[in-house]
Amino acid sequence: MKAIFPGAPADTDQPVLIGEAPEPEPADNEAVVAVEAFSVNRGETFQLDGGLARRWDGWRPGKDVAGTVARAAADGSGPAVGTRVVAHPPAHGWAERVAVPTTDLAELPDSVDAVTAAALPLAGLTALRLLRATGPVAGRRLLITGASGGVGHYVTELAAASGAAVTAVSATVERGAKLMELGACELVTSVEDAAGPYDVVLESVGGTSLPTALAALAPGGLLVWFGQASREPATLNFFDFFGGPNQARIQHFDYTTSDTTYGHDLAALVRLVAGGRLHPEIGSVRDWSRTADAIIDLRARRVRGNTVLTVS
């Protein structure tokens, strides 16, 4: 079968290559999904750069896929052959077929197409679990940095629908315009312009953004650190806390640790989309032969929202 392989990490013009890969050999609890669409996440572009430790020998990219079950799980779990699904495999999803544990997929209704579904898994799971980690947000002021990406869109819509007053930080007004439509109360183009104080800060940029956002917290507020898109280390000064925020809390977040299976939350995301309560923003849809171009555009921040490739 055809699949996408990493290119040379230093090759910015050809980050991936299409080649031949062996057919998946599923475990008893895994279904084989014929992939119709997949999305590209910024974290996967970092892995292609060789910049993350979670890349292993034989690794191929692909964590967000939608398609049809081509082979049901041998243990009888999961959906039957022919069922449309969205899935979150650990890797290898940028291919014609991929094996996925049945605990990590959810069925799709006719009203949710494969392109929309493929944009859900990693960004949607992160947003859903991120808000779960903050506790109730109704009536609370919430600041999210790096908000114009897929996670930021989902967080903004879900938090606003739950009663939070959301301030979104986007690099430009144009990139952040959709966030106001999704329920944000305020859009700023720099974290320095976020007045605060905020009960909750969701920080995904790192570098100088983190200490600046931390200073905007209300006394006893919570900052959840869930990314470092700038790829710059953050430095905190202990003595700055005496000037505020008093008794602030910083919490590291990793969406994989709260629950190691994804099917239940994927089903929740699908229900929200089908019910018109969650609206994935698809910024780019292309044939998977153009995956390299899509990655280059994503790295250059030329895409707002999710980047989805269709498997022809």
Side-chain angles (χ1 to χ4, degrees), residues 197-224:
Y198 298 99
D199 303 297
V200 176
V201 169
L202 304 179
E203 158 58 14
S204 65
V205 178
T208 59
S209 175
L210 193 150
T212 304
L214 180 66
L217 269 180
L222 171 67
L223 183 145
V224 183

Side-chain angles (χ1 to χ4, degrees), residues 283-299:
S284 174
V285 180
R286 316 182 197 192
D287 184 82
W288 73 322
S289 61
R290 299 183 59 202
T291 301
D293 294 336
I295 290 170
I296 291 169
D297 286 345
L298 188 63
R299 286 171 170 168

Side-chain angles (χ1 to χ4, degrees), residues 74-98:
D75 66 0
S77 64
V81 170
T83 305
R84 298 177 62 248
V85 296
V86 58
H88 191 51
H92 298 180
W94 299 1
E96 291 183 304
R97 287 169 290 282
V98 62

Side-chain angles (χ1 to χ4, degrees), residues 81-288:
V81 170
T83 305
R84 298 177 62 248
V85 296
V86 58
H88 191 51
H92 298 180
W94 299 1
E96 291 183 304
R97 287 169 290 282
V98 62
V100 186
T102 55
T103 54
D104 296 337
L105 52 79
E107 296 187 23
L108 291 174
D110 293 340
S111 60
V112 180
D113 61 79
V115 168
T116 301
L120 285 174
L122 192 146
L125 290 167
T126 300
L128 194 65
R129 295 179 174 193
L130 192 59
L131 288 171
R132 205 174 278 157
T134 69
V137 295
R140 306 177 80 187
R141 297 191 66 192
L142 184 149
L143 173 71
I144 178 166
T145 64
S148 58
V151 175
H153 280 81
Y154 292 137
V155 164
T156 297
E157 186 166 20
L158 291 171
S162 298
V166 179
T167 296
V169 183
S170 174
T172 66
V173 172
E174 180 184 13
R175 284 180 60 83
K178 183 70 175 179
L179 298 164
M180 298 297 289
E181 298 176 24
L182 296 175
C185 295
E186 182 183 23
L187 176 69
V188 296
T189 56
S190 171
V191 69
E192 287 82 2
D193 296 331
Y198 298 99
D199 303 297
V200 176
V201 169
L202 304 179
E203 158 58 14
S204 65
V205 178
T208 59
S209 175
L210 193 150
T212 304
L214 180 66
L217 269 180
L222 171 67
L223 183 145
V224 183
W225 190 4
F226 72 99
Q228 193 159 303
S230 68
R231 307 187 76 174
E232 295 292 333
T235 301
L236 299 178
N237 186 337
F238 173 81
F239 295 101
D240 287 344
F241 283 84
F242 292 106
N246 187 34
Q247 301 299 314
R249 294 172 292 141
I250 300 176
Q251 178 178 325
H252 171 259
F253 173 84
D254 181 345
Y255 84 102
T256 66
T257 56
S258 60
D259 185 352
T260 57
T261 62
Y262 308 110
H264 179 76
D265 283 345
L266 283 174
L269 292 167
V270 170
R271 285 196 302 272
L272 289 168
V273 172
R277 298 167 61 192
L278 188 65
H279 301 84
E281 183 176 17
I282 313 297
S284 174
V285 180
R286 316 182 197 192
D287 184 82
W288 73 322

